[in-house]
């Protein structure tokens, strides 16, 4: 929650986003920095847990949409080297509020409390205009 009050994005977890637009929704592929995430090994599987927050804001800065969830991920021993190299990728489809002009994405590692955020401006869709 405090990340939302900060005018600058937090860098405790690196976030790289690729976005695809369709109709009135956006599909996000968020790649997270594996060095900033805590994973623990048990029975040949590496486990991690993150908290995700998506806040849509309007031109006045008011909140017009909110999604909050906790996600767990697992990496097998065989996939650990690849995970260490590129990190996990999360995919989300978000139906936007009609008056949303900004999206704030906050990712928090549950074990360490490290937090990263990314603020994306949303451009009103017009013919031939992409977000």
């Amino acid at each position: 929650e405090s990340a939302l009050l900060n005018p600058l994005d937090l860098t405790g977890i690196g976030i790289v986003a690729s976005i695809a637009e369709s109709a009135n929704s956006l599909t996000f592929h968020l790649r997270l920095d594996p060095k900033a995430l805590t994973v623990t090994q048990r029975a040949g599987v590496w486990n991690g847990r993150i908290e995700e927050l998506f806040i849509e804001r309007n031109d006045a800065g008011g909140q017009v949409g909110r999604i909050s969830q906790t996600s767990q991920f697992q990496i097998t021993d065989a996939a650990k080297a690849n995970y260490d190299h590129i990190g996990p990728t999360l995919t989300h489809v978000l139906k936007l509020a009609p008056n949303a002009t900004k999206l704030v994405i906050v990712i928090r590692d549950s074990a360490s409390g490290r937090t990263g955020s990314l603020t994306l401006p949303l451009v009103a869709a017009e013919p031939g205009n992409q977000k």
Side-chain angles (χ1 to χ4, degrees):
E1 296 288 333
S2 64
L4 297 174
L5 300 175
N6 192 340
L8 302 175
D9 287 332
L10 301 176
T11 59
I13 296 175
I15 305 169
V16 176
S18 63
I19 305 165
E21 181 182 10
S22 61
N24 204 24
S25 66
L26 296 177
T27 300
F28 294 91
H29 300 283
L30 305 174
R31 189 167 47 95
L32 307 180
D33 178 5
K35 294 175 188 78
L37 301 176
T38 304
V39 293
T40 55
Q41 185 182 32
R42 185 169 35 158
V45 176
W46 296 84
N47 298 287
R49 181 177 161 162
I50 58 170
E51 299 156 22
E52 303 167 80
L53 180 62
F54 298 83
I55 299 287
E56 296 171 75
R57 296 199 179 277
N58 61 20
D59 281 335
Q63 183 175 307
V64 295
R66 176 189 177 111
I67 297 172
S68 176
Q69 65 186 34
T70 299
S71 297
Q72 297 185 24
F73 56 93
Q74 297 183 327
I75 307 110
T76 63
D77 277 339
K80 182 72 165 71
N82 189 48
Y83 167 85
D84 287 342
H85 180 67
I86 63 168
T89 299
L90 312 171
T91 300
H92 295 286
V93 177
L94 182 62
K95 186 166 177 80
L96 297 172
N99 56 345
T101 58
K102 183 189 303 185
L103 178 67
V104 180
I105 301 170
V106 180
I107 306 290
R108 181 179 179 273
D109 179 67
S110 296
S112 70
R114 281 186 206 101
T115 304
S117 64
L118 183 63
T119 302
L120 303 170
L122 302 173
V123 179
E126 297 174 12
N129 185 20
Q130 295 187 355
K131 293 187 180 196

